[in-house]
């Protein structure tokens, strides 16, 4: 059930696509670990990565949007803020319950749904504006 990079996920911005591929790789590690009932072993590392990733990746996207006067900057920034809010809620759940099955499954489903939706419907639009398509 790995989430493989595919052409329709490409935004056409190499730096952005590379960063998206990094997070997909991390999701795949979680899925592989879950497949052998070891999801709990990767959750702490994944949460740490997500905090760092959100800070770096979102600031990069927002910087490029501001530089190009992207008209969807505010909408995109709100999506990033929502991601961080959800990540903090998941972190609190993890801090309370540990890497329980419910935490692992919630993390996996949220990441897949958010990432695919965000890339296809928000990042692709942002990339087109930044590239001035």
């Amino acid at each position: 059930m790995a989430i493989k990079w595919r052409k329709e996920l490409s935004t056409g911005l190499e730096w952005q696509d590379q960063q998206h591929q990094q997070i997909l790789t991390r999701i795949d590690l979680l899925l592989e670990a879950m497949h052998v009932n070891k999801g709990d072993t990767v959750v702490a590392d994944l949460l740490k990565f997500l905090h760092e990733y959100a800070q770096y990746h979102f600031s990069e996207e927002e910087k490029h949007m501001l530089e190009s006067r992207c008209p969807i900057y505010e909408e995109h920034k709100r999506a990033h803020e929502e991601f961080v809010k959800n990540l903090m809620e998941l972190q609190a759940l993890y801090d309370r319950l540990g890497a329980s099955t419910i935490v692992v499954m919630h993390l996996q489903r949220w990441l897949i749904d958010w990432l695919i939706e965000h890339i296809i419907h928000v990042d692709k639009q942002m990339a087109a504006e930044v590239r001035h398509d």
Side-chain angles (χ1 to χ4, degrees), residues 40-58:
D40 59 329
T41 63
V42 298
V43 173
D45 287 340
L46 180 57
L47 287 170
K48 182 178 186 278
F49 168 80
L50 289 172
H51 286 285
E52 293 166 358
Y53 178 89
Q55 183 178 10
Y56 176 75
H57 179 72
F58 294 163

Side-chain angles (χ1 to χ4, degrees), residues 56-103:
Y56 176 75
H57 179 72
F58 294 163
S59 68
E60 282 292 301
E61 285 186 352
E62 291 168 15
K63 177 183 81 168
H64 285 281
M65 285 187 292
L66 285 172
E67 288 171 356
S68 66
R69 295 193 161 119
C70 183
I72 63 163
Y73 172 79
E74 291 298 328
E75 173 188 343
H76 205 121
K77 186 170 174 54
R78 278 191 299 276
H80 291 166
E81 290 167 351
E82 184 68 22
F83 178 93
V84 171
K85 177 181 172 253
N86 289 332
L87 179 58
M88 297 305 289
E89 289 170 1
L90 248 167
Q91 181 70 54
L93 186 63
Y94 171 77
D95 291 345
R96 199 169 65 250
L97 301 176
S100 66
T101 302
I102 194 160
V103 171

